[in-house]
């Protein structure tokens, strides 16, 4: 690639979105850690510095080589990136000047080429505690909010810094800012086309596998691995490709049948379906010298993810052995996407990004095999929407191309496991929640379980608040959702021990504290969740909801019932940020009522609470674990 941009990762979770936006504009990108050797980026045409969770003045700030600022390249610094630029060129950054989080209207100097075509006031996403206290010499302020610096520009050096995040959706004209930077400041053209990348991928497969090599491809049923299988089928002879679908007992209803039928259509002749529920649920493991209990006794999310990821490989290796293949000679192919690796904190694509979740296709054993050169990742360079386009270009069924994402660990991360018996015991925290909720027409409680979130670029594992409509004589779903959603935003901002808020759809008024009983992954629980998930998907999935599913919870407020269920439906295009789909706006309220009724009609003997997750990402994540 002759024209390319280096993205230096300062640890921000949005780095992959920057990557995505630049590529969407047809410019090739490489991501490096901020501390990259300047020699490695001397042939890149421009540098983008991402945001990050640190403060430039703190001891924990990521290290870097100052020479990156003397390479004479055009630069775009975002949030932390801007603060770093300002400091390196002699300015000052301080805490407490102004803290801004959320969408804000800022003043813009649209004579700056990077802001060309924008109006003089723009909506942008701000998320910072530090701010510029003195602007570096040679830079002028080109954006501001109430006197606080939101953008600096040095026309001679072609360096722009923005305090806000042009890469995410709340910055309405963010794409225009990237376009101006790439075309008007860096003079880069649109040359990085998807068609060429398919050809490059096919060429790469042929070169690596050779005339006689064999490849085992793990097909999960989602669009990613289907594209990998299709690319392998295009690049190699049928006898070189072995497809394996592992049913780990945590697939959705009828999913494995659907997948296997579709794979046959792809022309995969050597195709195996392996039912491995028992092995996944009941095998104790040693991973990297650490002993793990079997999955059916494990509660911690990261441990569950590690076990499932590892078991995928163990089962695949056994299957390969039966085919007389081993991974010293054969290759393992998987549909890993670029964002999976960035989010797993993979050192090859991301220097510092705080690990939010271990993706199943980037566990230790796969990294070792990758280092040996035996993993083929045809989609390694692509984002989700690009893979969907590739799927259509390769002629895959639309049912597969537009399929909603399903995590590799499947329903395993949607069964919230626990050994705890009891209620949430910290009354002080419950009282504080009551204070925040007072004045709103809701009762509130804190559930004695935790779920994963992403807050301030870091992983969090915190409590969940439940809200109940407390207006007498009204149906639970007869509520003002705008008002509910603004409260759902307020709670995690005010109370740092809560990262998720749900709304009870089957009970009006709270009827006793939420009680927790032990729950683990097993066949019965997976079966129950499969049914619940099918109901939720049937009612809530539509063109506006990008993903939608059920989560099985070990909580109840009714004697004799052990479970509750949470319904999750989100709207997002990149899955890095997401908002909870709003009833009445993103799908009809009647559908939520119908889903609640169907759940209670069919499973009312087991299910106590039916909850709807009203939290965005951040502060929660899309999945609960
Ligand atoms: P989170 O929960 O991190 O999810 O907000 C963002 C998107 O990624 C999917 N996801 C996964 N996909 N393997 C996958 O292939 C995984 O381990 C995994 N974990 C989360 C999630 O379903 C959502 O679409």
């Amino acid at each position: 690639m002759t024209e390319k941009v280096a993205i230096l990762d300062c640890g921000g979770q949005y780095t992959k979105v920057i990557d995505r936006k630049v590529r969407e504009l047809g410019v090739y990108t490489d991501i490096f850690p901020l501390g990259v050797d300047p020699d490695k980026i001397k042939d890149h045409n421009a540098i983008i510095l991402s945001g990050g969770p640190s403060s430039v003045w703190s001891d924990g700030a990521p290290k870097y080589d100052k020479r990156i600022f003397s390479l004479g390249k055009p630069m775009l610094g975002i949030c932390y990136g801007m603060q770093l630029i300002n400091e390196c060129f002699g300015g000052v950054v301080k805490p407490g000047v102004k803290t801004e989080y959320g969408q804000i209207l800022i003043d813009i100097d649209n004579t700056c080429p990077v802001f060309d075509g924008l109006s003089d006031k723009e909506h942008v996403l701000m998320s910072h505690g530090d701010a510029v206290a003195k602007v570096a010499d040679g830079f002028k302020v080109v954006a501001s909010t109430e006197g606080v610096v939101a953008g600096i520009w040095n026309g001679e050096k072609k360096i722009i810094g923005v305090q806000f995040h042009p890469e995410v959706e709340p910055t309405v004209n963010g794409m225009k800012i990237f376009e101006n930077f790439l075309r008007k400041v860096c003079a880069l053209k649109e040359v990085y086309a998807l068609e060429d990348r398919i050809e490059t991928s096919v060429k790469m497969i042929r070169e690596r596998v050779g005339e006689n090599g064999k490849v085992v491809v793990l097909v999960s049923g989602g669009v990613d691995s289907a594209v990998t299988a299709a690319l392998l089928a295009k690049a190699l002879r049928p006898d070189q490709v072995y497809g394996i679908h592992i049913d780990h007992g945590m697939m959705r209803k009828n999913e494995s049948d659907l997948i296997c039928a579709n794979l046959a259509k792809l022309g995969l002749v050597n195709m195996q379906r392996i039912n491995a529920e028992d092995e996944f649920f009941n095998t104790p493991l040693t991973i990297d010298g650490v002993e793990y209990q079997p999955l059916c006794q494990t509660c911690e999310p990261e441990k569950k993810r590690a076990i499932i990821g590892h078991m995928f490989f163990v089962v695949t290796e056994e299957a390969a052995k039966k085919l007389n293949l081993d991974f010293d000679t054969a290759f393992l192919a998987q549909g890993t996407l670029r964002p999976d690796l960035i989010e797993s904190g993979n050192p090859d694509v991301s220097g510092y990004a705080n690990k939010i979740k271990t993706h199943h296709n980037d566990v230790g054993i796969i990294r070792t095999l990758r280092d040996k050169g035996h993993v083929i990742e045809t989609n390694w360079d692509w984002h989700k929407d690009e893979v969907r386009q590739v799927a259509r270009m390769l002629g895959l069924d639309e049912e597969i191309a537009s399929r909603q994402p399903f995590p590799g660990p499947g329903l395993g991360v949607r069964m919230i496991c626990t050994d705890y018996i009891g209620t949430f015991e910290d009354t002080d925290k419950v009282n504080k929640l009551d204070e925040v909720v007072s004045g709103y027409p809701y009762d509130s409680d804190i559930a004695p379980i935790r779920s994963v979130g992403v807050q301030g670029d870091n992983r969090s594992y915190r409590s969940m608040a439940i809200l109940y409509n407390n207006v007498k004589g009204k149906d639970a779903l007869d509520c003002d959702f705008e008002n509910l959603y603004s409260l759902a935003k307020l709670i995690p901002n005010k109370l740092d021990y809560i990262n998720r808020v749900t709304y009870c759809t089957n009970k009006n008024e709270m009827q006793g504290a939420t009680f927790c009983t032990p729950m683990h992954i097993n066949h019965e629980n997976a079966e129950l969740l499969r049914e619940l998930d099918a109901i939720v998907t049937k009612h809530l999935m539509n063109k506006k909801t990008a993903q939608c599913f059920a989560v099985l919870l070990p909580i109840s407020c009714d004697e004799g019932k052990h479970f509750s269920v949470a319904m999750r439906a989100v709207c997002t295009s990149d899955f890095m940020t997401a908002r909870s789909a709003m009833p009445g706006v993103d799908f009809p309220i009647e559908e939520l009522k119908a889903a609640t009724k169907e759940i209670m009609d069919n499973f009312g003997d087991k299910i106590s609470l039916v909850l709807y997750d009203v939290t965005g990402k951040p502060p929660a994540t899309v999945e609960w674990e």
Side-chain angles (χ1 to χ4, degrees):
M1 226 15 96
T2 48
E3 289 191 348
K4 53 189 178 181
V5 168
I7 299 172
L8 304 195
D9 181 6
C10 306
Q13 287 299 328
Y14 297 146
T15 305
K16 75 174 186 190
V17 191
I18 302 174
D19 183 68
R20 171 76 199 88
K21 298 281 160 169
V22 176
R23 285 171 170 231
E24 200 174 317
L25 289 160
V27 177
Y28 181 80
T29 49
D30 287 311
I31 302 180
F32 299 98
L34 178 63
V36 64
D37 177 347
D39 278 346
K40 280 200 180 158
I41 54 170
K42 66 179 184 345
D43 294 330
H44 287 75
N45 302 71
I47 299 171
I48 298 180
L49 297 166
S50 80
S54 310
S55 290
V56 288
W57 43 264
S58 76
D59 291 343
K63 302 275 175 280
Y64 60 94
D65 187 325
K66 276 208 159 184
R67 287 177 298 156
I68 57 173
F69 293 100
S70 350
L71 292 170
K73 311 274 181 196
M75 266 191 176
L76 162 64
I78 295 171
C79 194
Y80 183 88
M82 159 173 133
Q83 296 175 2
L84 195 62
I85 287 172
N86 187 58
E87 197 183 68
C88 285
F89 286 96
V92 177
V93 174
K94 279 192 179 161
V97 180
K98 191 167 190 188
T99 300
E100 296 172 303
Y101 294 105
Q103 198 189 40
I104 283 172
L105 195 63
I106 64 165
D107 295 313
I108 290 270
D109 171 359
N110 50 21
T111 61
C112 169
V114 183
F115 298 146
D116 190 30
L118 271 63
S119 59
D120 51 9
K121 290 211 182 289
E122 288 285 336
H123 283 287
V124 300
L125 182 93
M126 287 286 192
S127 180
H128 67 112
D130 293 351
V132 168
K134 175 184 168 285
V135 178
D137 290 342
F139 285 78
K140 67 172 187 170
V141 176
V142 287
S144 58
T145 57
E146 294 166 4
V148 176
V149 178
I152 54 171
W153 164 242
N154 183 323
E156 196 187 319
K157 293 192 189 303
K158 298 187 177 175
I159 298 182
I160 177 89
V162 288
Q163 183 58 69
F164 56 90
H165 289 270
E167 69 275 29
V168 291
E169 285 166 18
T171 299
V172 177
N173 279 314
M175 202 59 183
K176 184 78 192 149
I177 292 175
F178 280 111
E179 194 180 359
N180 284 341
F181 175 69
L182 295 172
R183 310 268 188 261
K184 297 197 166 139
V185 178
C186 310
L188 296 176
K189 294 182 284 301
E190 186 174 351
V191 292
Y192 187 49
L194 212 48
E195 287 83 353
D196 301 342
R197 285 188 271 161
I198 295 178
E199 280 320 307
T200 312
S201 186
V202 167
K203 206 165 139 233
M204 177 275 285
I205 295 168
R206 286 190 184 135
E207 273 170 16
R208 288 195 53 200
V209 179
E211 267 298 300
N212 299 313
K214 309 265 188 209
V215 187
V216 175
V217 55
L218 277 184
V219 209
S220 67
V223 59
D224 309 344
S225 55
V227 161
T228 297
L231 284 166
L232 291 169
K234 189 175 161 87
L236 304 171
R237 290 190 317 274
D239 65 296
Q240 291 182 284
V241 189
Y242 295 80
I244 294 185
H245 168 68
I246 300 173
D247 179 353
H248 50 20
M250 296 168 281
M251 301 300 286
R252 286 173 292 195
K253 195 172 176 182
N254 300 331
E255 180 132 42
S256 291
D257 298 341
L258 181 85
I259 293 157
C260 291
N262 266 290
L263 286 175
K265 276 199 230 159
L266 274 181
L268 276 188
V269 203
N270 301 314
M271 181 61 213
Q272 274 196 50
R273 170 178 174 169
I274 302 172
N275 293 324
E277 177 183 297
D278 185 42
E279 274 176 279
F280 270 81
F281 287 7
N282 300 316
T283 316
L285 281 175
T286 305
I287 308 173
D288 296 334
V290 180
E291 288 187 10
Y292 287 75
Q293 304 270 67
L295 192 58
C296 63
Q297 292 169 26
T298 304
C299 298
E300 221 179 282
E302 271 297 294
K303 282 192 180 157
K304 282 159 70 177
R305 284 179 165 269
I307 295 170
I308 299 169
H310 196 88
M311 279 307 298
F312 263 116
F313 187 73
V314 171
V315 174
T316 308
E317 211 174 25
E318 273 169 23
K321 221 183 256 167
K322 286 188 193 143
L323 294 165
N324 284 329
L325 299 172
D326 66 62
F327 293 114
D328 284 331
T329 48
F331 294 87
L332 176 73
Q334 49 177 25
T336 327
L337 297 188
R338 203 167 162 76
D340 301 344
L341 297 165
I342 297 173
E343 273 208 345
S344 289
N346 182 294
D348 291 339
V349 290
S350 162
Y352 298 100
N354 187 286
K355 185 156 116 181
I356 306 297
K357 283 167 193 179
T358 304
H359 278 246
H360 67 288
N361 39 18
D362 197 32
V363 291
I365 197 160
I366 300 285
R367 286 190 184 181
T368 311
L369 208 59
R370 193 182 283 132
D371 290 345
K372 286 205 297 190
H374 275 262
V375 179
I376 292 189
E377 283 163 321
T378 57
N379 315 340
W380 153 280
D381 226 18
W382 295 331
H383 290 262
K384 194 80 181 185
D385 42 355
E386 290 172 302
V387 169
R388 292 196 195 284
Q389 283 178 49
V390 172
R392 291 181 188 111
M393 287 157 89
L394 291 171
L396 290 168
D397 282 358
E398 186 56 30
E399 194 183 9
I400 295 206
S402 55
R403 204 160 173 69
Q404 68 155 316
F406 185 59
L411 303 183
V413 287
R414 294 178 182 169
M415 287 180 258
I416 308 300
C417 301
T418 182
D419 289 315
Y420 182 71
I421 304 178
T423 53
F424 184 83
E425 295 209 315
D426 192 331
T427 40
D428 190 39
K429 287 184 174 166
V430 176
N431 292 341
K432 281 198 182 126
L433 172 63
D434 282 345
E435 270 169 39
V436 177
V437 176
S438 72
Y440 287 86
Y442 307 110
D443 294 333
S444 62
D445 192 17
I446 301 182
I449 51 171
R450 284 184 292 171
S451 73
V452 175
V454 52
Q455 291 170 286
D457 276 318
N458 290 312
R459 176 185 200 269
S460 70
Y461 189 43
R462 295 187 179 154
S463 301
M464 170 189 91
I466 306 178
L467 300 175
Y468 298 83
N469 193 344
N470 71 2
V471 183
K472 285 204 183 349
K474 275 207 170 178
D475 186 273
L477 282 169
D478 197 359
C479 90
D480 175 350
F481 281 101
E482 295 275 353
N483 172 277
L484 174 68
Y485 274 66
S486 62
L487 177 60
K489 247 190 200 169
L490 191 69
I491 292 171
N493 276 340
K494 292 245 175 194
L495 307 173
D496 64 5
Y497 47 89
I498 290 177
N499 65 2
R500 199 177 288 271
V501 181
T502 56
Y503 181 66
C504 181
T505 64
N506 69 322
K507 288 185 198 286
N508 198 21
E509 298 180 67
M510 186 175 147
Q511 293 156 13
T514 331
F515 191 84
C516 184
T517 43
M519 181 176 118
H520 298 100
I521 292 180
N522 61 34
H523 182 75
E524 293 69 39
N525 293 346
E527 279 292 307
L528 174 60
L529 180 53
R530 255 188 283 281
E531 295 301 328
L532 295 167
D533 185 70
I535 297 174
V536 173
T537 310
K538 181 175 80 184
H539 289 286
L540 305 189
M541 193 72 204
N542 65 24
K543 286 218 161 78
K544 280 173 123 180
T545 48
Q547 194 174 7
C548 159
F549 54 87
V551 184
L552 189 64
L553 310 176
I555 55 172
S556 164
C557 57
D558 293 298
E559 272 300 304
K561 298 186 185 181
H562 287 294
F563 304 104
S564 289
V565 61
M567 302 182 269
R568 182 81 164 134
V570 294
C571 299
T572 175
S573 59
D574 58 24
F575 293 92
M576 275 313 284
T577 57
R579 60 181 183 82
S580 161
M582 194 188 280
V585 175
D586 299 307
F587 56 78
I589 295 177
E590 284 61 41
E591 293 293 346
L592 197 56
K593 284 188 183 164
T596 306
K597 183 173 181 316
E598 197 171 334
I599 289 172
M600 291 315 286
D601 285 352
N602 289 288
F603 303 100
D605 56 331
K606 299 187 177 88
I607 299 286
S608 166
L609 299 169
V610 183
L611 305 170
Y612 183 67
D613 188 339
V614 287
T615 338
K617 172 184 179 178
T621 48
V622 175
E623 302 286 346
W624 282 44
E625 294 195 327

